[in-house]
Amino acid sequence: PQDLAGLDLLPELARAGIASLKIEGRLKTPEYVGSITRLYREALDRLSAAGHSGESPKPADPEARYTMEMAFSRGLYSGWLGGIDNQKLVHGRYGKKRGAYLGRVSSVSQEAVTIRLEIPLAKGDGIVFDSGHPAEKEEGGRVYEMLANGKETLLRFAHGHIDFSRIQVGNHVWKTSDPKLDREIRRTYSETGPNFQRPIDFRVEGEAGTTMRLLVSDPHGATVELESTPLLEPARNRPLSEESLREQLGRLGGTPFRMGTLENHLAGAVILPVSELNRLRREAIGLLEKARANPTPWQWNTPEHAPLAVAENRVTPDRTTPDPASGDQADAATAASPVALAVLVRNPAQLQAALECNVNTIYCDYENPKDYREAVKTFRSRTSGTRAVGLQSPQSIFLAPPRIFKPADEWILKMIQSAEPDGYLVRNHDDLRFFRGSRCVADFSFNLTNRLAADWFRETYGLERLTASYDLNAIQLQALLQATPPGWFEVTIHQHMPMFHMEHCVFCAFLSEGTDFRNCGRPCDTHQVSLRDRVGAEHPLKADAGCRNTVFQSRAQTGAEHLHSFVAAGARSFRIEFLNEESATVTRTIAGYRSLIEGTISGGDLWREFKLLNQLGVTRGQL
């Protein structure tokens, strides 16, 4: 995506009631932090001044955009602050820093290029030539010599730094470095010392014939205490007073502190060498900085009225948990209760295949919720709510809403509800609110990684099961299962891991001329799209009813080698999620896990079978 830049929209954000702004600078330079923060600070100050004077706020200085581009820019855009426009967010031309646009190459020789400049350029500035292939090595360097020729400028570079044969007429040129601007920005934060100083409080104690005690503390409880080396002596003239103590102890320039309160508890007229006061001040500040670097740890206090729930009906294995990598087959008969399989399908063909396999629960996660009514009808015609052969409970169908909810999306939830399923695979807090009172299973997006959170969600919303977070590895997942009653969690044992969700619709941006769902023609209904990464792996993309896109891992993740360890830890419900698999693959995958649960195949053998079954193989992934 282009970089978010909301500078020009500050007046509208202020009118909307926004009270706090955040600037993100992950992996950026100090120059970036200095320049971008200064630009927004100045813009807010202008906005405040205009508000007090009743004048209209002045727009940002034209130099501001140049400064932002030179700090770091893959293109500047207001993102979704001005509304959704899928054609503008991602240009797809480059994904690295470009800076300010300089112009196009008009001619190339063996030792120079000629450009019609659109912004000023100086010797020593860095530039890059954009041929439209950012994954390949790009030519660029610092300008060594400039010769103006009418409206065009000839540029030379240090000998051997540029391969001119790789530069073509018409190539875009970007200014990537401006040393003069960097020096000016660096000066704003490197020469003045800390601009913000935290108040600290001083207290001095003592009397003639004893050492002077100095206590220094900050508002957050960090405190240091020192004693003078020489003893306090009676003063013949100019005894230590509050004024003289402030003068010596308050010399905190160049430190992140300033003097706050001073309590003088010296008894009588006493004196201490100025050099000793300075030493005490310097050592105290040094110790205080160290103390602040190691803050007091948080302390957890459990309220008496909210005791932790106690796990009951724990299944304690009567044997050692097998090593998942050893391939040992566990005896499924040792489980105190049967293991249930749930299957998530994403199209009618997968649904038909899952119904043939008689699984306990089917989750439908279709792109178009209008198809849910037919899915429930198909399920009812095949099962009629009866108990399939080999199952301990009647089969159920649950429907999944989109992962992201916005206020205008409630029609989607109403449409899903009207299909009258047995329950819902809820993804967010709005789902919990809307479907409250129905059978609900919480999906992975609640990031449930500990018992406290699991207990709260179950008690608050009456959830039937909870999906363990996908952030947990196998050891962490076993620990979570052992800390909770066995029936709480459902473990996703096979899936294409969802890598990220985004408001940007790739289908709309690259397969249509439209800006959003109102004019894109819905290419997502007729096309399959994947994103190819730097090593050539193709990651499938799915759009939901709200036109949000989810990118999935190209290879399915399997926990086949860990399943019996999870069972030994108390898990009794496992989920298999399908993406683009054909019906035959759905059938074979479900059969494989059923054989693993029954103990007729080992986890290692099933792992190898899946590697052969899937064209791209499988991965152990986060587990």
Side-chain angles (χ1 to χ4, degrees):
Q2 298 189 78
D3 291 305
L4 176 63
L7 190 68
D8 295 332
L9 297 175
L10 289 183
E12 294 180 60
L13 293 172
R15 282 193 291 270
I18 300 301
S20 178
L21 300 174
K22 176 183 178 184
I23 298 172
E24 293 196 351
R26 186 172 65 94
L27 301 179
K28 302 298 192 298
T29 64
E31 290 79 10
Y32 174 92
V33 177
S35 61
I36 300 301
T37 306
R38 179 170 56 88
L39 287 173
Y40 279 87
R41 176 72 272 159
E42 292 173 350
L44 289 174
D45 290 343
R46 287 195 302 271
L47 189 61
S48 178
H52 285 103
S53 65
E55 300 176 356
S56 298
K58 297 179 181 178
D61 191 316
E63 290 293 318
R65 183 178 181 86
Y66 172 76
T67 302
M68 286 193 291
E69 289 174 331
M70 294 310 301
F72 188 94
S73 172
R74 292 164 295 204
L76 301 178
Y77 183 52
S78 59
W80 302 134
L81 292 175
I84 294 176
D85 186 342
N86 286 295
Q87 297 298 333
K88 290 185 178 179
L89 185 75
V90 177
H91 48 63
R93 184 176 177 87
Y94 51 80
K96 59 184 73 173
K97 176 186 175 181
R98 276 297 186 250
Y101 184 66
L102 196 60
R104 283 195 172 204
V105 174
S106 53
S107 67
V108 186
S109 68
Q110 294 183 350
E111 56 183 18
V113 296
T114 301
I115 302 174
R116 178 167 293 194
L117 299 177
E118 297 195 11
I119 60 173
L121 183 69
K123 287 192 293 185
D125 288 351
I127 68 174
V128 66
F129 296 93
D130 178 0
S131 62
H133 302 285
E136 301 176 1
K137 179 183 179 297
E138 294 182 315
E139 296 299 323
R142 297 200 177 275
V143 177
Y144 184 76
E145 184 180 2
M146 298 174 57
L147 297 173
N149 182 16
K151 295 182 179 181
E152 297 186 335
T153 303
L154 184 139
L155 306 181
R156 298 183 189 277
F157 304 86
H159 181 71
H161 281 209
I162 301 289
D163 182 354
F164 293 98
S165 66
R166 301 185 69 241
I167 300 174
Q168 305 294 323
V169 172
N171 283 171
H172 295 282
V173 187
W174 301 86
K175 183 176 178 180
T176 58
S177 174
D178 185 337
K180 180 182 178 182
L181 178 62
D182 286 345
R183 288 193 297 270
E184 292 175 353
I185 293 169
R186 203 174 298 121
R187 194 178 301 121
T188 65
Y189 64 82
S190 61
E191 296 181 358
T192 60
N195 289 320
F196 174 77
Q197 293 180 302
R198 191 178 304 279
I200 54 176
D201 300 326
F202 290 78
R203 178 186 175 96
V204 291
E205 302 172 350
E207 58 183 303
T210 68
T211 58
M212 188 186 85
R213 295 177 61 234
L214 173 66
L215 294 90
V216 184
S217 60
D218 74 356
H220 297 288
T223 302
V224 297
E225 180 177 339
L226 293 171
E227 291 190 11
S228 64
T229 301
L231 302 179
L232 287 165
E233 298 181 358
R236 296 195 179 100
N237 52 39
R238 300 188 65 183
L240 290 175
S241 63
E242 182 173 334
E243 182 181 355
S244 60
L245 287 169
R246 279 190 176 277
E247 181 181 353
Q248 296 302 322
L249 299 178
R251 294 182 175 181
L252 301 173
T255 76
F257 306 111
R258 60 179 172 84
M259 178 173 276
T261 62
L262 170 64
E263 295 184 31
N264 181 5
H265 293 275
L266 295 175
V270 292
I271 191 73
L272 196 69
V274 171
S275 60
E276 182 65 6
L277 288 174
N278 291 337
R279 181 191 70 80
L280 289 171
R281 183 195 68 238
R282 289 193 299 269
E283 289 191 15
I285 295 304
L287 291 172
L288 189 61
E289 288 181 319
K290 289 182 179 179
R292 287 184 53 77
N294 297 284
T296 303
W298 286 80
Q299 185 176 5
W300 179 267
N301 296 318
T302 303
E304 294 182 2
H305 62 277
L308 298 180
V310 178
E312 299 175 353
N313 302 321
R314 168 76 62 245
V315 177
T316 304
D318 56 3
R319 56 178 173 76
T320 302
T321 300
D323 178 3
S326 68
D328 294 339
Q329 297 184 20
D331 183 1
T334 61
S337 57
V339 175
L341 270 182
V343 172
L344 184 144
V345 297
R346 288 189 165 89
N347 58 56
Q350 292 178 351
L351 173 61
Q352 291 286 356
L355 286 170
E356 294 288 340
C357 297
N358 291 332
V359 295
N360 298 78
T361 304
I362 291 180
Y363 300 111
C364 286
D365 190 5
Y366 288 5
E367 292 182 22
N368 193 340
K370 294 179 181 178
D371 297 330
Y372 277 157
R373 187 180 295 275
E374 185 62 29
V376 173
K377 181 180 177 181
T378 300
F379 176 85
R380 299 273 186 251
S381 66
R382 291 292 305 272
T383 63
S384 301
T386 59
R387 183 177 301 172
V389 177
L391 299 183
Q392 300 297 316
S393 59
Q395 292 173 281
S396 302
I397 182 169
F398 282 58
L399 301 182
R403 298 205 178 277
I404 309 299
F405 177 89
K406 290 187 177 182
D409 295 340
E410 191 154 313
W411 66 272
I412 300 176
L413 302 186
K414 291 179 179 178
M415 180 178 295
I416 294 171
Q417 189 179 52
S418 69
E420 299 183 349
D422 297 313
Y424 306 93
L425 181 64
V426 292
R427 267 74 183 269
N428 52 60
H429 286 268
D430 292 280
D431 293 350
L432 290 173
R433 172 190 58 80
F434 188 89
F435 295 116
R436 192 165 190 166
S438 303
R439 294 176 62 189
C440 290
V441 174
D443 205 2
F444 77 93
S445 44
F446 288 98
N447 292 323
L448 296 172
T449 61
N450 63 74
R451 171 149 177 199
L452 286 172
D455 191 25
W456 187 87
F457 272 96
R458 288 186 74 258
E459 290 297 321
T460 303
Y461 293 103
L463 297 171
E464 194 165 299
R465 289 188 302 280
L466 312 167
T467 306
S469 170
Y470 290 172
D471 290 327
L472 301 176
N473 61 35
I475 295 175
Q476 294 167 333
L477 185 52
Q478 289 178 51
L480 176 64
L481 293 171
Q482 290 168 342
T484 56
W488 283 17
F489 278 99
E490 183 167 283
V491 177
T492 303
I493 200 71
H494 187 105
Q495 64 165 322
H496 288 266
M497 182 76 80
M499 297 166 67
F500 55 89
H501 314 298
M502 54 188 178
E503 186 74 27
H504 176 61
C505 181
V506 176
F507 294 88
C508 176
F510 296 99
L511 293 175
S512 82
E513 300 291 331
T515 58
D516 57 27
F517 70 94
R518 292 170 295 185
N519 52 27
C520 69
R522 293 195 60 82
C524 54
D525 290 340
T526 53
H527 290 78
Q528 289 192 15
V529 169
S530 61
L531 300 182
R532 184 181 298 116
D533 67 17
R534 64 186 183 282
V535 298
E538 295 188 358
H539 304 278
L541 195 74
K542 291 288 186 181
D544 66 16
C547 295
R548 285 125 209 165
N549 287 190
T550 302
V551 181
F552 293 87
Q553 171 62 252
S554 60
R555 292 188 295 168
Q557 171 180 298
T558 174
E561 295 169 306
H562 298 283
L563 184 140
H564 286 300
S565 297
F566 296 152
V567 171
R572 291 298 177 269
S573 182
F574 294 91
R575 186 192 309 166
I576 303 169
E577 292 196 359
F578 295 104
L579 188 63
N580 292 328
E581 290 86 351
E582 296 180 351
S583 300
T585 303
V586 171
T587 301
R588 291 182 62 181
T589 302
I590 296 173
Y593 281 104
R594 183 158 280 149
S595 297
L596 178 62
I597 291 171
E598 294 169 353
T600 59
I601 189 173
S602 71
D605 287 341
L606 185 58
W607 158 268
R608 286 183 284 274
E609 183 176 312
F610 283 149
K611 285 183 72 72
L612 296 174
L613 173 63
N614 294 274
Q615 183 179 4
L616 298 175
V618 289
T619 177
R620 296 178 178 88
Q622 179 67 17
L623 293 175

